[in-house]
Amino acid sequence: RLVGAGADYAGWFRRLRDEGPALVVHNEDVLLRLPRTGGVAGVGAVDDEAADGATAKDLLFVAPRTVQVVERPRAKDGEIGDRQVEVESVVSLISSGTELKVFQGLFDEAALDVNIQDMADKTMAYPLAFGYCTVGRITRCGHAVADADALTGTLVFAFLPHGTHHVVDRDAVTPVPDGVAPEDAVFLPSVETALSLVHDAAPRAGERVGVFGQGLVGLLVTAVLAAGAPGA
């Protein structure tokens, strides 16, 4: 039917052969830009003192464009399960996609990401502790954590909301490799997204790829593509 309508298939294939295919990966990303103040908490020695009477702080989304920092009692030694660990946050990353929608109130009440263990039983509704990119250090471990001695004091990544202290299952944390700064490790989910976009586009050697938008994910997509390009 298209040939009968005058479609120039021969010309299309000729241009394809002569000019080469161009793959376009497009990711729309709106960044919430905030001025950076202060520094990053240091990763020093573990405080051996019990947390009895100490407090932790959480960032809560309580209404559209409204957040509050609230205090709560920090878990006591007896409140940490046998196979749980306490994470003291060092850095956490603001999600410029889902988290910005939560801040603006642009979401429906529903379950959070069921693929993330600590979100499976929580609902997307105010007041809400949100965020899923946290790097911290292990301060305490339950009695049944097999690698407690090696794990205590080390940096880990976890899908956790913004807050100073968290108690989670041992399996919910991933040790950060030596030589990787917490400010870099916190980008793990964003790098995963960028890598998935490149895998979906599946560019082959010699093909040209255009990345439109150089926000967080766009920059990481460009970095992933450059890392796989000969001579880049």
Side-chain angles (χ1 to χ4, degrees):
R1 187 179 302 174
L2 290 174
V3 172
D8 184 12
Y9 275 102
W12 186 84
F13 280 110
R14 185 169 55 254
R15 289 191 298 272
L16 181 66
R17 182 193 62 221
D18 295 342
E19 298 178 7
L23 299 179
V24 177
V25 178
H26 188 195
N27 178 74
E28 293 187 4
D29 188 20
V30 180
L31 285 179
L32 178 62
R33 295 180 173 85
L34 297 175
R36 180 173 179 179
T37 59
V40 177
V43 183
V46 175
D47 184 2
D48 293 328
E49 295 183 3
D52 293 4
T55 59
K57 295 181 179 180
D58 295 320
L59 179 70
L60 293 185
F61 296 82
V62 296
R65 299 182 179 276
T66 305
V67 296
Q68 291 181 354
V69 176
V70 298
E71 289 191 356
R72 58 176 170 81
R74 187 176 165 189
K76 300 178 181 179
D77 288 338
E79 296 172 343
I80 298 178
D82 290 344
R83 291 179 173 81
Q84 291 186 316
V85 297
E86 182 186 56
V87 180
E88 182 180 66
S89 298
V90 175
V91 292
S92 61
L93 182 71
I94 297 175
S95 161
S96 56
T98 306
E99 191 169 346
L100 185 58
K101 292 182 178 180
V102 172
F103 177 71
Q104 295 173 331
L106 304 177
F107 64 91
D108 297 323
E109 291 193 10
L112 294 181
D113 194 336
V114 296
N115 296 314
I116 299 178
Q117 180 179 353
D118 292 307
M119 291 186 179
D121 59 347
K122 297 180 181 179
T123 302
M124 183 85 83
Y126 295 127
L128 175 66
F130 197 75
Y132 50 85
C133 308
T134 293
V135 173
R137 59 179 178 140
I138 301 297
T139 53
R140 291 180 290 169
C141 296
H143 299 295
V145 175
D147 56 348
D149 291 341
L151 196 62
T152 301
T154 62
L155 283 175
V156 296
F157 173 88
F159 293 98
L160 293 171
H162 305 292
T164 60
H165 297 82
H166 308 273
V167 175
V168 296
D169 292 342
R170 164 61 182 90
D171 294 340
V173 302
T174 301
V176 175
D178 292 339
V180 178
E183 300 93 328
D184 294 329
V186 77
F187 285 96
L188 173 61
S190 301
V191 175
E192 180 185 25
T193 298
L195 186 60
S196 296
L197 286 170
V198 174
H199 285 170
D200 289 343
R204 294 176 294 182
E207 291 181 326
R208 293 174 295 175
V209 180
V211 183
F212 293 85
Q214 291 293 284
L216 173 58
V217 175
L219 287 169
L220 291 172
V221 167
T222 301
V224 171
L225 289 168

